[in-house]
Amino acid sequence: MADAPAPLAPRVLVTGASRGLGLEFVRQYAAAGARVFATCRAPEAAQALEALAAEHADAVSVAPLDVRDPDAIDAVVASVAADGPGHLDVLINCAGVSPRGEEFDNIRAEDMLEVLRVNTVAPLIVAQRCHALLARAERPRLVNISSSMGSLAKKDYGRHYSYAAGKAALNMITRAAACDLAADGIVVVSLHPGWVQTDLGGPQATLSPRESVAGMIEVIEGLTSEHSGRFLTWSGEEHPW
C-alpha cells in the first residue's frame, strides 16, 4: 500500500533561491506556512529574496551558500539542525548554471567541468550533508530540479552539451540515491519544471514560475515511496529518461 500524502511540509531547504524557480519555491512555501531555509551565493545582492524574507520574517531564513563549497554546505546544515526540531522535510536542489552560446566547436573542458560541478556534483553533496536531517523527518523528500534537456530519449538536437549532460547525470544520481536512502524512508525524485519564463527559459516560454512551482509543490506533497527514483514533470506525469 502506498504512503498516505501528508499536509504541506513545514521545513524546506531551497538552494539557488535568489531568483527564478528557487525564489518562487520560497515565495509559495512561505505563503503556505512552511519554515523555509533559502540559500544563494550572494544574499546581499538578492533584493527580491531579502524582501520576501522581510515579509515572512518568522518563516524564511536566508543564508549564503555556494554549493561548490562543502564548508558552506556544512554551515547551512548546522543552522537548520539548530533551528527548532532540527529536521528537514524537503530538500530542493534548485541551484544551477547554464552556459550561453555553447556549440560543438567552442566547448572548453574547464567550462564543462564547472557546469557539472554545480549542476551534478553539488546536488549530491548537498543531499549527502542533509541526509541526517532528512532521516529525522516523518516523510522526507529529496527533490532534484532536472530538465527535459537531460532526457536521452528526447535528445534529438545538438548543442547544450554541458547543461544536458549535467542534468542527465543528475537523473542518474536520483536513481542511485533513491536506492541508498530507501531504508531511511527518503523519497528521491527528479522534476522537470517545464518550459518556464526564467533567465534560462526566456520570455517566450509557456509557463510562468508561479504556474510551474505551484504544480511542482503539488507533486512534491503527493509523493509516496512508489515515486522514489522516478523522473516526473511539473504536472506529475512520467518523463522519459
Side-chain angles (χ1 to χ4, degrees):
M1 181 179 295
D3 306 330
L8 189 64
R11 294 171 64 81
V12 183
L13 172 60
V14 183
T15 69
S18 63
R19 59 184 179 178
L21 295 175
L23 179 64
E24 189 62 27
F25 269 118
V26 175
R27 177 179 290 111
Q28 293 194 28
Y29 268 117
R35 175 74 173 100
V36 186
F37 303 92
T39 68
C40 63
R41 281 186 296 175
E44 67 280 1
Q47 296 180 353
L49 178 58
E50 291 290 354
L52 189 56
E55 180 183 350
H56 298 277
D58 295 333
V60 178
S61 294
V62 178
L65 176 60
D66 184 335
V67 294
R68 302 168 298 180
D69 182 354
D71 290 338
I73 297 171
D74 287 342
V76 169
V77 169
S79 68
V80 176
D83 180 273
H87 69 271
L88 192 61
D89 296 284
V90 179
L91 167 60
I92 301 177
N93 276 317
C94 197
V97 295
S98 178
R100 299 289 185 181
E102 188 181 66
E103 303 283 350
F104 181 83
D105 292 329
N106 66 11
I107 296 170
R108 300 194 312 162
E110 55 269 33
D111 295 337
M112 188 171 191
L113 288 170
E114 181 64 12
V115 173
L116 294 174
R117 185 180 181 190
V118 174
N119 292 4
T120 307
V121 178
L124 175 59
I125 302 305
V126 172
Q128 179 194 69
R129 298 298 208 268
C130 288
H131 180 196
L133 294 175
L134 289 165
R136 294 176 195 146
E138 291 186 8
R139 199 170 66 93
R141 281 141 289 165
L142 166 55
V143 179
N144 292 322
I145 301 301
S146 185
S147 170
S148 182
M149 292 174 68
S151 168
L152 296 178
K154 287 185 169 290
K155 188 59 172 172
D156 55 1
Y157 55 92
R159 300 175 292 111
H160 307 297
Y161 287 85
S162 301
Y163 188 81
K167 291 302 185 181
L170 181 63
N171 287 344
M172 181 58 77
I173 285 171
T174 291
R175 295 284 287 179
C179 297
D180 283 335
L181 304 182
D184 293 314
I186 300 172
V187 175
V188 188
V189 297
S190 287
L191 285 184
H192 166 50
W195 187 21
V196 189
Q197 297 158 7
T198 61
D199 290 346
L200 175 61
Q204 73 277 20
T206 56
L207 287 172
S208 68
R210 180 186 61 78
E211 292 170 317
S212 171
V213 169
M216 286 192 285
I217 288 178
E218 184 175 352
V219 171
I220 292 167
E221 292 310 309
L223 290 175
T224 71
S225 59
E226 293 181 356
H227 295 102
S228 201
R230 290 163 66 177
F231 186 14
L232 304 173
T233 71
W234 68 279
S235 57
E237 299 173 354
E238 203 80 30
H239 195 291
W241 292 104

